Amino acid sequence: DLGGCSVKLPASIVSKHAVLNIGNKDNMCFRYAVIAWALGRDQPQHPERTTAYYSNSSEFKGRVPKDFVPDFVDVGIDFSMLVYPVRTNALHDFEKKNKIGVFVFTWKESNLKDKGFAMQTRRPRRVYGREVVLLIHQNHYMWVKNFNAFINLEPFGHRNNMRTCHRCMYSLRDELHLKAHLLKGVCLKDNDECIAPPRLPKAKDAESIPKLSFKNYAEVFDHPCIFFADFETYQSKTGG
């Protein structure tokens, strides 16, 4: 995937009020999205406008002149290694230089009207001190400003007050448990270090058989790829 000009978002995304869609007409949406994230609470009055991220926007009024060369607001981030439009598989040098982890999600529309859900398609190779979560939809990068609202499946009728880790998609009880989970910094190791030990059922008495079941299917998030592997052996009689 690569980033380009702005797009019109489907109602399934707009209704969440969790994404900042900057209306750029160039192919630098990745830079706009990251600058918006870096500004954080110091957001401009109209964060959806590209001029909000120019330090020289006072040079004109109204529409941006055709010969205008933007000077982006300095947020202490180096974008010099990037080639625009930015491909999701070309972000490692950006992360290493700026010590910022970039998590990228895509959006999948459901068969149900005005409903959809997010899927993680890119994550860093390691945990960084700063992390930005982006949505790329129709080749357009956007900053996910409210991840919990963005990933929540409430539109499908499942009310979930839990918090989801943007790194490993593991659900936690509340904000306090999420912070403790993130502080461990083991989410990207692809092992069981970040997952709580399973609570196995106990037999009530010596004769009863403990049972374990799962019913909260709505809390399971789809992943782009799932692999099932089987192993077959054939034993043939040999001489001797």
Side-chain angles (χ1 to χ4, degrees):
D1 292 332
L2 50 83
C5 297
S6 62
V7 296
K8 183 178 180 180
L9 298 181
S12 56
I13 299 179
V14 176
S15 62
K16 286 179 171 285
H17 304 286
V19 174
L20 176 59
N21 184 18
I22 299 175
N24 62 292
K25 294 183 179 180
D26 51 29
N27 56 10
M28 303 182 78
C29 56
F30 177 85
R31 186 163 185 170
Y32 289 108
V34 173
I35 291 177
W37 161 78
L39 290 174
R41 294 184 178 180
D42 299 325
Q43 286 292 308
Q45 186 176 1
H46 296 285
E48 74 284 354
R49 298 179 183 176
T50 56
T51 52
Y53 306 97
Y54 302 154
S55 60
N56 58 340
S57 59
S58 60
E59 296 180 5
F60 62 90
K61 292 183 179 181
R63 293 185 178 181
V64 180
K66 292 183 179 180
D67 58 346
F68 175 74
V69 179
D71 184 11
F72 284 93
V73 173
D74 184 8
V75 290
I77 297 177
D78 186 359
F79 296 90
S80 62
M81 75 295 295
L82 298 176
V83 176
Y84 298 94
V86 177
R87 293 185 176 275
T88 55
N89 60 1
L91 293 172
H92 178 64
D93 290 341
F94 172 84
E95 292 176 319
K96 188 175 180 180
K97 176 69 175 179
N98 295 289
K99 294 181 174 56
I100 298 173
V102 182
F103 293 81
V104 181
F105 287 75
T106 57
W107 190 260
K108 184 175 181 180
E109 285 292 292
S110 167
N111 292 330
L112 302 174
K113 184 181 179 181
D114 296 338
K115 290 180 175 59
F117 55 92
M119 297 191 301
Q120 187 188 81
T121 57
R122 196 266 176 198
R123 67 181 190 178
R125 300 174 185 174
R126 49 160 290 214
V127 174
Y128 289 91
R130 294 193 295 168
E131 297 172 332
V132 57
V133 180
L134 304 176
L135 166 67
I136 186 167
H137 182 68
Q138 296 181 7
N139 295 328
H140 178 59
Y141 285 104
M142 290 159 280
W143 172 41
V144 178
K145 58 183 181 179
N146 187 336
F147 182 73
N148 197 59
F150 173 69
I151 206 69
N152 200 293
L153 296 175
E154 190 169 343
F156 289 91
H158 176 68
R159 183 161 188 160
N160 183 5
N161 293 322
M162 300 178 73
R163 295 294 182 267
T164 302
C165 174
H166 60 270
R167 297 173 185 164
C168 63
M169 305 302 293
Y170 185 63
S171 293
L172 296 110
R173 189 183 308 168
D174 50 35
E175 193 70 25
L176 185 64
H177 285 79
L178 174 61
K179 289 180 179 179
H181 170 83
L182 293 173
L183 193 60
K184 290 180 181 179
V186 295
C187 296
L188 303 181
K189 291 187 177 181
D190 282 331
N191 56 27
D192 59 356
E193 288 187 52
C194 69
I195 301 174
R199 295 187 294 273
L200 299 178
K202 296 181 180 180
K204 295 181 180 179
D205 52 64
E207 296 182 358
S208 64
I209 300 176
K211 296 181 180 180
L212 182 66
S213 61
F214 179 76
K215 61 181 181 180
N216 296 327
Y217 296 102
E219 293 184 9
V220 177
F221 293 94
D222 282 5
H223 292 268
C225 297
I226 301 177
F227 297 93
F228 296 92
D230 194 9
F231 201 99
E232 299 290 347
T233 61
Y234 296 90
Q235 297 180 348
S236 301
K237 186 177 181 179
T238 59

